[in-house]
Amino acid sequence: MLQALGGFFTYFVILAENGFLPSTLLGIRILWDSRDVNDLEDTYGQQWTYEQRKIVEFTCHTSFFVSIVVVQWADLIICKTRRNSVFQQGMK
């Protein structure tokens, strides 16, 4: 559950940093995936071409995957050092 939350958080943060706030994402799928639409506007009025949108989308996919891997690493360390700290037990 925590891994999915971390993944979706990073996904939406990257979209928001690029101008697509979560409120504007509802109902935008058909326009987003259309190759014919090369003037899709984000929240701030900037126009995005199909190629630019796909670059942002693939960046979101990558960040989602990386955040899940990082959370799994943290979970591994937490499970390994349940009683002792990492500094007491080490990573043997």
Side-chain angles (χ1 to χ4, degrees), residues 14 18 32 48-62:
I14 288 178
N18 285 286
W32 184 275
W48 291 77
T49 64
Y50 176 78
E51 290 80 17
Q52 291 171 332
R53 293 191 307 266
K54 287 302 170 181
I55 289 171
V56 171
E57 183 179 348
F58 296 149
T59 303
C60 291
H61 294 173
T62 303

